[in-house]
């Protein structure tokens, strides 16, 4: 039989592989399997340009033999039950009952998978088929393997993992074995007896805390758990599992983010696992391959998906940040969406109650040019109904806590505890969260996104209207349990915020109109119907407002004409949920997670392994849990959960109980479905079994909104509410065209389940067109506290996301694959041999041989070349070096060519320039000669005319001088000796040398320059004089102001001094009258009883000035002289003298200040002297008043009550 060149080459590689295989490997590490490479099967044809040697018959016979050999190998593998990479008794029997998704399933599930595989072979998507499991393993082979492995581990004293009765894994060493049991010494010193079938190998200490699980020598659950716990305890929260990033929520701030880390990952200074690294890879692949990318973040509630998505967005905005600032707007959308779409649940304080896909668009230069947000399935029931300990959406509490007083007054807002929609869960706050501060951040984000103030006002009005709707109460009237709405503040405020009348709102909430033919009948509602109708209206307003707000954000982030088709999508969708009571929301959420898990399986398991098999690659299948059966339970027609739900929702008399009965009747044959008692049923999801309660399923799936409410909203003055009602009317009219039923409340519309399924399919179709990058978020503990690592919880999540299977495929798989044509075209330039055949396959193999790539590092398929991780990087580096060398040679050669051409051009240009410049010079010279020849006669005539004019003028001057001299000689004859001097002067004047004639033009030019300079200097001096005049005018203005001020102060001082003089005169007259009446010995004892110097002193100004009459001074002195023996009169005289002295002093100093000249620059010093003088006057005045009071008191003490009443005593009595 003829052999093709491909088969010969593969045989040589196989022989080389067997020769180089190491001999001292431990039994636990599997040897390289024998090659099962075969030609393509009959269902796949060879490529058109595929070349093989020999005839076609030989190839056909070879194909048949290879297929038979492969089937024999599969049968042997299934009989032996061996699974490469396993250890000891982990070659499990099929009937062993374990919960691990990595072991074989039960017999019934295996048969179901086989049957489903046969059926799905003819389906549209071959990648969605299941995988078959292996038959039971033989115990004899297992015992032989165990003996070898245990002996090796005892001899080397290697650590093993054993599972304790509590379920925890502990490491230890095997001391001895006895039959099916082994004695294991644990790390804490205890020795326990463990079945050998439960032992697993442990990795050496050098592999502790590796950042990629692929690097583990032994891959098993306890090794993965221990590695993640080791890294988590050291705040290394990111690990890799092949192409998947594992992110463990730290529940605290970890210092591994910020601009420094962004720069480090951007410049490839760091390569440790990180969200930044995933985002950087997606960005580089988008720019290099021009293929859209997607980052899919999954995990259960509380695992940190929302924060991870924000971190990825921060890195992408740092990479693609431009000058337009749209990257900041994209980041601010997180604050808005979290406020309106996140809430506190029992598992997470910031749980996303909706799914979102943020699609970031980039320009051809890699700069962000826009974004688009898609949302999925907002949990509307949370608006009106809460579980104890949970909260509604954050924005309600933020609005109540952080709104300004003006906004609260406009919205009639109260505290959150006064609204029934918020207070019935007994949870109004989140520990460590300031709702008021969050509201201010929300307001800033709305401004940055450019949401108008009018739209913000509408949003807050609708939020307040929803809160007030929850406070509306009903009262029963009549015997038929009918209700009417209580007309309280809740109705008034809700109607006012919505923009409708209270009467219309009350009527819509208590009655429904039913159309009967052409007539309409108003039907009163019961209490429960009215409450449900009110809640339906509140849910509709909130959900419509949420969608409307997302539309406004998308308008602000619109790409416009810069769209290039390059984008990175970040998917942040709710995680898998399983509570004590699971309703319709959990049903939809878990369905979405099943779809995402299928997408994960498809890209990491199915497509890759199918590609290996179809291309004839030597490959051992990695088993994984396929969730296709669970997806069929949800969506496969004609009988599935969603189809039966929609069918039952269309029956008016259907109930949740009839729906549960129909599910049990039609779906019991599905192994993932289990009917429970009453209204409950269970679904076996990829993450575990979940029990659902059908209570409320039909109502939530219908999501009814009566036509009366649509009409009510259309009549409101609030523009968004009108918009919501118009959209609902359009949908109702489209669905009512072919539907007419008298007793129906509303025309049928698309159910919530069907709408969500449609959105989910569109999402998956969009993701299928991108290159996915997966991030699996892990929740380390259920208490949401840092530093706690619950192994059972982590293990369950690792099993759900198939981490071990991903690592196994990544370790044994070939992530890099290129067609032979692509590989030869890219790396063919590296070949140093020229005698190699020029077909792509031969070139590819020659390149691999030339660079000594080990056979286990690659596989040659029919159409592609498969390389293990890291191999393509070596070839790329070598290609880069070669290209750099080629570029260096080309650079030197091109430089030499350019320089030679430059010199040639330079010589030619120089020669050409010499001719041109010579010609220009000759032409210019000829022009100058002609001009000089033409202008010479005119110049000579002008010069002669000037000389003649000078001679005439100078002659006249000389003659005048001579005449003067003659006249002088007539008067003084003795001066006759100077007769010939004038004639000599005349002759000297008349004879002008030729040199002076030539100097005259230059002297004239110099004089003109001097005149110009003099004019400039004169203008400068005039400007300086103008500035000095302005400054002088300012000084004169200021001095006039000072003079006015000084005159006014002098007048005020004169008035005050006059008042003091009047007081002293009055005192003198009083004393004189007393002296005239009272005997001399008693005159000194009398004094004014009610005199108050302060009253008189306060009259007028305090400025000293004016003149005191001399009559007062002499009079007082006379009185003092007549009564020298009287001490009090002496005191008065002393006061008068002191007053005169200080008056004169202050007058002199004030005049000296006034006489300052106006031209002096000491005006500021004069002002200071004036202030000092004023201060001295005030000080003396206070002292003088005190002494005047003392004198008055002395005079009063020496007086007597029988004496005659003084003028001031009379004045005081009249005043009293």
């Amino acid at each position: 039989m003829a052999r093709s060149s491909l088969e010969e080459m593969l045989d040589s590689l196989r022989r080389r592989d067997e020769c180089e295989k190491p001999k001292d490997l431990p039994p636990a590490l599997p040897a390289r399997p024998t090659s099962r490479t075969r030609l393509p099967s009959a269902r796949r044809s060879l490529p058109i340009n595929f070349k093989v040697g020999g005839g076609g018959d030989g190839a056909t016979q070879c194909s048949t033999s290879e297929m038979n050999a492969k089937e024999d190998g599969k049968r042997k593998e299934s009989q032996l039950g061996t699974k490469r990479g396993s250890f000891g008794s982990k070659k499990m029997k099929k009937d062993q009952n374990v919960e691990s998704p990595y072991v074989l399933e039960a017999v019934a599930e295996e048969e179901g998978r086989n049957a489903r595989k046969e059926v799905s072979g003819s389906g549209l998507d071959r990648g969605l088929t299941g995988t078959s499991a292996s038959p039971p393993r033989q115990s004899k082979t297992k015992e032989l393997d165990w003996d070898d492995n245990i002996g090796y581990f005892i001899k080397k004293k290697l650590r093993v993992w054993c599972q304790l009765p509590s379920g925890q894994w502990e490491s230890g060493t095997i001391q001895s074995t006895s039959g099916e049991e082994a004695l294991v010494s644990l790390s804490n010193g205890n020795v326990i007896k463990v079945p050998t079938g439960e032992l697993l190998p442990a990795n050496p200490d050098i592999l502790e805390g590796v950042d990629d699980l692929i690097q583990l020598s032994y891959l098993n659950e306890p090794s993965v758990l221990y590695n993640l716990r080791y890294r988590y305890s050291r705040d290394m929260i990111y690990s890799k599992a092949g192409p998947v990033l594992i992110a463990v929520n730290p529940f605290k701030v970890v210092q591994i983010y910020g601009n420094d880390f962004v720069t480090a990952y951007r410049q490839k200074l760091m390569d440790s696992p990180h969200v930044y690294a995933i985002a950087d890879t997606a960005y580089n692949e988008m720019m290099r391959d021009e293929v859209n990318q997607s980052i899919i973040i999954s995990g259960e509630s509380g695992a940190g998906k929302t924060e991870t998505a924000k971190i990825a967005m921060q890195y992408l905005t740092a990479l693609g940040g431009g000058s337009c600032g749209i990257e900041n707007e994209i980041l601010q959308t997180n604050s808005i969406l979290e406020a309106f779409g996140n809430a506190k649940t029992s598992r997470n304080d910031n749980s996303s109650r909706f799914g979102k896909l943020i699609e970031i668009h980039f320009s051809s230069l890699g700069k962000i040019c826009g974004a688009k947000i898609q949302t999925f399935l907002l949990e509307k029931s949370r608006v009106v109904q809460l579980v104890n300990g949970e909260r509604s959406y954050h924005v309600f509490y933020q609005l109540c806590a952080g709104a300004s007083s003006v906004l609260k007054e406009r919205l009639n807002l109260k505290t959150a505890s006064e609204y029934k929609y918020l207070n019935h869960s007994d949870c109004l706050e989140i520990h460590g969260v300031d709702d008021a501060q969050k509201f201010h951040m929300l307001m800033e984000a709305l401004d940055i996104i450019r949401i108008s103030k009018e739209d913000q006002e509408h949003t807050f009005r609708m939020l307040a209207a929803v809160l007030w709707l929850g406070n509306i109460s009903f009262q029963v009237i009549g015997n038929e349990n009918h209700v009417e709405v209580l007309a309280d503040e809740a109705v008034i405020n809700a109607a006012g915020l919505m923009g409708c009348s209270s009467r219309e709102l009350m009527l819509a909430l208590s009655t429904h109109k039913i159309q009967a033919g052409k007539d309409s009948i108003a039907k009163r509602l019961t209490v429960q119907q009215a409450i449900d109708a009110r809640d339906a209206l509140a849910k509709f307003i909130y959900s419509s407002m949420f969608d409307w707000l997302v539309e406004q954000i998308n308008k602000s982030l619109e790409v416009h004409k810069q769209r290039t088709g390059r984008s990175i999508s970040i998917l942040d969708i709710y995680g898998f949920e399983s509570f004590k009571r699971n309703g319709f929301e959990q049903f939809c959420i878990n369905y979405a997670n099943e779809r995402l898990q299928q997408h994960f399986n498809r890209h990491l398991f199915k497509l890759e392994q199918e590609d290996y098999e179809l291309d004839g690659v030597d490959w051992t299948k990695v088993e994984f849990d396929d969730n296709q059966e669970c997806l069929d339970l949800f969506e496969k027609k004609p009988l599935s959960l969603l189809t039966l739900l929609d069918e039952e929702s269309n029956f008016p008399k259907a109930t949740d109980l009839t729906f549960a009965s129909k599910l049990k009747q039609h779906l019991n044959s599905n192994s993932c479905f289990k009917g429970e008692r009453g209204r409950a049923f269970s679904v076996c999801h990829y993450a575990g079994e979940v029990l659902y309660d059908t209570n409320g399923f039909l109502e939530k799936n219908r999501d009814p909104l009566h036509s009366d409410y649509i009409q009510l909203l259309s009549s409101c003055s609030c523009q968004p509410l009108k918009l919501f009602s118009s959209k609902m009317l359009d949908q109702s009219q489209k669905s009512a065209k072919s539907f007419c039923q008298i007793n129906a409340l509303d025309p049928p519309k698309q159910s919530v389940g069907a709408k969500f399924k449609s959105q989910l399919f569109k999402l998956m179709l969009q993701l299928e067109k991108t290159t996915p990058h997966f991030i699996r978020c892990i929740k380390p503990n259920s208490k949401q506290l840092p530093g706690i690592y619950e192994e059972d919880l982590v293990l369950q999540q690792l099993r759900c996301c198939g981490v071990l299977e991903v690592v196994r495929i990544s370790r044994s798989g070939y992530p890099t694959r290129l067609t032979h044509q692509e590989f030869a075209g890219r790396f063919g330039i590296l070949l140093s041999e020229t005698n190699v055949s020029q077909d792509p396959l031969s070139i590819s193999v020659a390149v691999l041989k030339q660079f000594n790539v080990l056979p286990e590092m690659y596989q040659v398929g029919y159409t592609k070349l498969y390389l293990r991780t890291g191999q393509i990087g070596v070839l790329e580096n070598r290609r880069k070096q070669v290209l750099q060398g080629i570029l260096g040679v080309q650079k030197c050669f091109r430089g030499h060519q350019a320089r030679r051409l430059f010199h040639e051009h330079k010589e030619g240009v120089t020669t050409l320039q010499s001719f041109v410049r010579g010609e220009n010079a000759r032409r210019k010279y000829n022009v100058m000669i002609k001009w000089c020849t033409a202008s010479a006669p005119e110049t000579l005539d002008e010069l002669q005319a000037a000389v003649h004019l000078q001679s005439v003028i100078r002659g006249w001057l000389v003659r005048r001088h001579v005449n003067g001299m003659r006249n002088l000689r007539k008067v003084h004859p003795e001066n006759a000796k100077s007769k010939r001097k004038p004639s000599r002067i005349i002759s000297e004047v008349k004879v002008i040398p030729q040199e002076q004639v030539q100097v005259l033009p230059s002297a004239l030019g110099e004089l003109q320059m001097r005149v110009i300079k003099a004019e400039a200097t004169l203008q400068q001096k005039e400007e300086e004089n103008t500035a000095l005049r302005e400054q002088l005018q300012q000084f004169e203005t200021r001095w006039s102001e000072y003079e006015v001020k000084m005159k006014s102060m002098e007048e005020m001082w004169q008035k005050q001094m006059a008042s003091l003089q009047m007081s002293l005169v009055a005192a003198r007259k009083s004393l004189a009258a007393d002296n005239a009446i009272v005997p001399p010995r008693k005159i000194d004892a009398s004094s004014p009883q009610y005199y108050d110097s302060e009253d008189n002193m306060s009259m007028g100004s305090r400025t000293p000035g004016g003149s005191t009459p001399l009559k007062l001074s002499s009079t007082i002195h006379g009185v003092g002289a007549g009564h020298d023996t009287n001490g009090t009169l002496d005191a008065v005289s002393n006061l008068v003298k002191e007053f005169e002295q200080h008056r004169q002093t202050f007058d002199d100093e004030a005049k000296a200040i006034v006489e300052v000249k106006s031209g002096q620059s000491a005006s500021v010093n004069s002002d200071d002297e004036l202030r000092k003088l004023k201060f001295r006057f005030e000080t003396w005045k206070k002292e003088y008043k005190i002494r005047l009071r003392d004198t008055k008191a002395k005079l009063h003490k020496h007086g007597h009550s029988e004496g005659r009443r003084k003028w001031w005593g009379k004045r005081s009595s009249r005043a009293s």
Side-chain angles (χ1 to χ4, degrees), residues 231-232 234-239 246-250 254 256-257:
R231 293 178 62 81
Y232 178 72
R234 288 159 178 78
D235 289 340
M236 295 183 288
I237 62 174
Y238 295 115
S239 304
I246 299 176
V248 184
N249 193 345
V254 183
I256 56 175
Y257 309 104

Side-chain angles (χ1 to χ4, degrees), residues 428 591 699 801 882 911:
L428 297 174
Y591 167 52
E699 190 72 13
C801 60
V882 172
T911 303

Side-chain angles (χ1 to χ4, degrees), residues 352-624:
S352 297
R353 308 317 300 164
F354 71 106
K356 67 174 178 289
L357 178 72
I358 301 178
E359 189 177 359
I360 304 175
H361 294 272
F362 295 83
S363 65
S364 57
L365 299 178
K367 299 300 181 181
I368 294 177
C369 58
K372 182 181 179 181
I373 300 174
Q374 301 178 41
T375 58
F376 312 97
L377 191 67
L378 179 71
E379 187 183 6
K380 295 187 289 187
S381 61
R382 183 167 292 273
V383 177
V384 300
Q385 186 177 2
L386 297 175
V387 179
N388 192 31
E390 296 187 354
R391 294 206 321 175
S392 185
Y393 293 105
H394 295 325
V395 67
F396 289 119
Y397 307 91
Q398 294 172 7
L399 179 63
C400 294
S404 62
S405 58
V406 178
L407 182 59
K408 286 183 177 180
E409 184 178 354
R410 286 203 305 267
L411 303 179
N412 297 319
L413 269 181
K414 296 184 177 181
T415 59
S417 59
E418 299 185 53
Y419 293 107
K420 295 180 181 179
Y421 279 163
L422 305 181
N423 61 18
H424 68 273
S425 65
D426 296 331
C427 181
L428 297 174
E429 296 179 351
I430 301 176
H431 178 69
V433 177
D434 187 356
D435 288 324
Q437 183 181 2
K438 290 286 186 180
F439 182 76
H440 297 317
M441 294 172 61
L442 172 63
M443 296 290 289
E444 293 178 2
L446 290 173
D447 293 335
I448 293 175
I449 297 296
R450 301 193 302 277
I451 304 297
S452 64
K453 293 295 183 181
E454 183 181 2
D455 289 341
Q456 294 183 29
E457 182 73 17
H458 287 320
T459 302
F460 297 141
R461 289 179 69 87
M462 287 185 283
L463 290 173
V466 169
L467 293 178
W468 282 113
L469 281 175
N471 283 11
I472 293 178
S473 302
F474 304 94
Q475 64 179 0
V476 180
I477 58 173
N479 299 326
E480 298 181 2
N481 201 26
H482 293 159
V483 297
E484 66 177 7
V485 181
L486 292 177
D488 53 7
E489 65 169 348
V491 175
I492 298 173
N493 291 334
L497 293 169
M498 293 170 59
C500 63
S501 65
S502 303
R503 182 177 176 280
E504 292 176 349
L505 180 60
M506 294 171 62
L507 186 63
L509 293 177
S510 59
T511 61
H512 277 175
K513 293 180 181 179
I514 300 177
Q515 196 72 23
K518 297 182 179 180
D519 300 329
S520 60
I521 302 173
K523 176 186 175 183
R524 285 193 170 275
L525 303 179
T526 62
V527 174
Q528 189 59 43
Q529 289 175 343
I531 293 175
D532 293 342
R534 177 201 64 187
D535 294 345
L537 179 61
K539 290 189 293 184
F540 174 78
I541 293 176
Y542 189 82
S543 62
S544 301
M545 178 201 65
F546 182 79
D547 296 337
W548 171 76
L549 189 59
V550 173
E551 290 179 4
Q552 303 304 312
I553 294 175
N554 285 334
K555 289 180 182 179
S556 177
L557 303 179
E558 197 170 0
V559 183
H560 300 297
K561 296 181 180 180
Q562 301 177 357
R563 183 184 297 273
T564 60
R566 299 179 182 179
S567 66
I568 298 178
S569 301
I570 301 177
L571 178 64
D572 174 21
I573 203 165
Y574 16 60
F576 185 84
E577 293 185 352
S578 179
F579 303 114
K580 292 182 179 179
R581 184 185 179 281
N582 300 285
F584 181 73
E585 290 80 10
Q586 284 71 39
F587 176 82
C588 295
I589 288 172
N590 293 340
Y591 167 52
N593 278 270
E594 287 287 349
R595 259 293 159 200
L596 290 176
Q597 182 67 20
Q598 177 72 8
H599 182 71
F600 179 80
N601 293 344
R602 173 176 169 78
H603 279 271
L604 294 184
F605 300 137
K606 291 185 177 181
L607 296 181
E608 187 162 358
Q609 297 194 87
E610 285 184 359
D611 199 7
Y612 294 156
E613 290 184 2
L614 295 176
D615 216 24
V617 174
D618 182 15
W619 176 255
T620 302
K621 261 196 172 183
V622 175
E623 302 295 336
F624 64 94

Side-chain angles (χ1 to χ4, degrees), residues 274-410:
H274 202 286
V275 178
Y276 290 166
I278 295 292
D280 187 74
T281 302
Y283 180 82
N284 292 332
E285 290 184 8
M286 177 196 68
M287 297 301 298
R288 183 189 63 205
D289 303 332
E290 296 186 359
V291 177
N292 292 341
Q293 308 290 311
S294 60
I295 300 176
I296 301 174
I297 306 170
S298 58
E300 71 172 53
S301 179
K305 298 184 299 299
T306 301
E307 292 300 321
T308 302
K310 290 161 63 175
I311 294 169
M313 290 173 62
Q314 290 171 2
Y315 187 82
L316 291 177
T317 53
L319 282 182
S323 59
C324 59
I326 195 172
E327 62 276 1
N328 188 30
E329 297 181 19
I330 295 175
L331 292 178
Q332 292 299 324
T333 59
N334 292 317
S335 300
I336 300 174
L337 295 178
E338 281 188 21
F340 287 88
N342 287 27
K344 180 186 183 302
T345 64
S346 58
R347 294 188 175 184
N348 188 3
D349 289 344
N350 189 31
S351 177
S352 297
R353 308 317 300 164
F354 71 106
K356 67 174 178 289
L357 178 72
I358 301 178
E359 189 177 359
I360 304 175
H361 294 272
F362 295 83
S363 65
S364 57
L365 299 178
K367 299 300 181 181
I368 294 177
C369 58
K372 182 181 179 181
I373 300 174
Q374 301 178 41
T375 58
F376 312 97
L377 191 67
L378 179 71
E379 187 183 6
K380 295 187 289 187
S381 61
R382 183 167 292 273
V383 177
V384 300
Q385 186 177 2
L386 297 175
V387 179
N388 192 31
E390 296 187 354
R391 294 206 321 175
S392 185
Y393 293 105
H394 295 325
V395 67
F396 289 119
Y397 307 91
Q398 294 172 7
L399 179 63
C400 294
S404 62
S405 58
V406 178
L407 182 59
K408 286 183 177 180
E409 184 178 354
R410 286 203 305 267

Side-chain angles (χ1 to χ4, degrees), residues 87 122 142 244 333 342 622 756 782 828 973 1045 1068 1090 1203 1210:
F87 175 80
S122 59
K142 183 187 72 173
V244 180
T333 59
N342 287 27
V622 175
F756 180 64
S782 56
K1045 184 176 179 181
R1068 187 194 63 179
Y1090 303 102
K1210 296 178 181 180

